[in-house]
């Protein structure tokens, strides 16, 4: 999928060095494309393992039908994951 198809990114917004690495990786993967990034940490605080569920819920709530959404999650313990979704009608 071309990076230009992504309309919304919901990163884990961890902050610190790990958060900076996540943001740098997103910048590299998106190759200059700048979709809206929706950050939740300031709203939720540190929700630990539940954060990714909130990220996914936000992605589904904010995406318009047909939008492609990228959700990424990193954790200080070493877990990392991502999902690419296309919002339905």
């Amino acid at each position: 999928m071309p990076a230009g198809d992504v309309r919304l990114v919901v990163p884990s917004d961890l902050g610190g060095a790990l958060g900076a690495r996540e943001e740098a990786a997103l910048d590299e993967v998106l190759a200059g494309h700048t979709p809206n990034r929706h950050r939740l940490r300031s709203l939720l605080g540190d929700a630990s393992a539940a954060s990714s569920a909130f990220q996914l819920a936000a992605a589904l709530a904010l995406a318009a039908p047909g939008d492609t959404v990228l959700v990424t999650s990193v954790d200080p313990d070493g877990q990392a994951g991502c999902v690419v979704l296309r919002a339905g009608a």
Side-chain angles (χ1 to χ4, degrees), residues 22-47:
E22 178 186 25
E23 292 292 330
L26 286 168
D27 290 342
E28 182 179 338
V29 167
L30 294 170
H33 177 59
T34 55
N36 184 34
R37 292 191 192 192
H38 190 75
R39 293 171 175 85
L40 300 175
R41 183 164 290 275
S42 65
L43 299 171
L44 299 173
D46 183 3

